[in-house]
Amino acid sequence: MASIYDDIRSALEVKLNSVTDVPSIAWENLSFSPTTGQAYLKPRLIPTRREPAVRGLNPQMYYQGVFRIECYVPEGNGPSAADDLADKIIEAFEATTDVGSSTTVSIRYAEREQGELDGAFFMIPVNIGWYIYR
Amino acid sequence: MQVTVAGSFFKNQRDRIEEKVERALKEKASEIVSDVVNLSPVDTGAFIESWQINPRGDRTRRSRSPSGRPSLSEAGKQSKREEERTRLMSRVESFDYEKLTGFTVTNTAPHINSINQNNNLRTGLSPSEIKVALIDRRR
């Protein structure tokens, strides 16, 4: 039986992959070499909570975490490309929506942080808060 | 007619509330210490040693450099975590909770950016991911 985290990751990654016009994606734990001058996304699954949802034997479990997507665009061209990318992702993962088919992951919030320079790129992180009961 | 309610009438309730607030603050601070210690990557130990928890307004910072320090063994990494947990917890214990208006957790390790850019951390999360996890757990 697959780990629940595989199912959660899959639901979130499939959703990200279906967003139209997103650049290359540096999937977690797969080799990826960013090309200077080309935008890319770097998603990371960060589980933050696993706890019983109710008391008693064999309780249903509550899982919570963050799907962090770092939006990298070439440096020196202003922030608008990264802003647009971050907006697109926030729209795709809007709070109170659900993603996934066989496993439904609920979105708690979708928000971004301020951008910062990172080598040859300008990066804006988008944090997607999620939860699931199982 | 006059009814006077003296301050002493509320003293017990006030003391009990203050005790509860103190306990809640201490629990929250301990929880955060536990999170930062458990989530930190450990190699030489410099990053985890750079955590500081302060009463709000206290700007003391810690910054430990990894240069010239060897990578720790697996057992050494575990004992480094325990050592830092003890240090941070004794800091939490030392707070004057009657005057406390909040607390801050900081890490000013000089190599924080290079850890953030390291895609092959062997233990723990990157500093930016730790920040996200700390915030998410307390929303």
Side-chain angles (χ1 to χ4, degrees), chain A residues 49, chain B residues 19-36 53 88-89 92-93 95 97 100 102-105 134-139:
Chain A
R49 246 179 217 291
Chain B
E19 244 173 60
K20 276 189 180 169
V21 170
E22 180 176 330
R23 205 163 47 231
L25 278 169
K26 204 178 272 187
E27 267 175 26
K28 191 60 73 185
S30 311
E31 208 181 84
I32 289 173
V33 163
S34 193
D35 279 353
V36 300
I53 184 161
L88 291 164
M89 283 310 297
V92 166
E93 290 296 330
F95 290 168
Y97 285 92
L100 194 71
F103 50 85
T104 57
V105 187
L134 287 179
I135 293 170
D136 185 74
R137 283 182 183 177
R138 285 157 192 89
R139 285 176 76 113

Side-chain angles (χ1 to χ4, degrees), chain B residues 31-76:
Chain B
E31 208 181 84
I32 289 173
V33 163
S34 193
D35 279 353
V36 300
V37 167
N38 293 336
L39 297 176
S40 287
V42 180
D43 180 31
T44 64
F47 175 74
I48 199 169
E49 285 175 11
S50 298
W51 284 110
Q52 177 78 323
I53 184 161
N54 285 328
R56 201 167 164 195
D58 180 341
R59 298 198 172 275
T60 316
R61 299 287 184 263
R62 276 172 72 91
S63 183
R64 299 290 184 266
S65 168
S67 63
R69 295 175 57 164
S71 291
L72 296 169
S73 65
E74 286 311 309

Side-chain angles (χ1 to χ4, degrees), chain A residues 42 44 46-49 64-66 68 70 108-109 111 113 118-119 127 129, chain B residues 31 113 116-117 119-120 125 128-139:
Chain A
K42 187 169 133 185
R44 293 291 175 266
I46 310 172
T48 60
R49 246 179 217 291
Q64 173 186 314
V66 180
R68 180 175 171 90
E70 295 176 342
R108 297 163 56 216
Y109 60 87
E111 64 190 18
E113 295 176 23
D118 185 349
N127 296 320
Chain B
E31 208 181 84
N113 287 338
N116 259 331
Q117 283 157 11
N119 290 322
N120 300 306
L125 300 178
S128 56
E129 289 170 340
I130 293 173
K131 183 179 156 199
V132 168
L134 287 179
I135 293 170
D136 185 74
R137 283 182 183 177
R138 285 157 192 89
R139 285 176 76 113

Side-chain angles (χ1 to χ4, degrees), chain A residues 61-109:
Chain A
M61 299 299 284
Y62 171 75
Y63 298 82
Q64 173 186 314
V66 180
F67 189 45
R68 180 175 171 90
I69 302 161
E70 295 176 342
C71 309
Y72 288 84
V73 300
E75 67 160 342
N77 297 332
S80 64
D83 283 341
D84 291 347
L85 205 44
D87 285 349
K88 202 178 283 182
I89 290 164
I90 287 172
E91 268 172 38
F93 289 92
E94 196 51 278
T96 76
T97 59
D98 293 337
V99 300
S101 48
S102 56
T103 297
T104 305
V105 179
S106 301
I107 305 301
R108 297 163 56 216
Y109 60 87

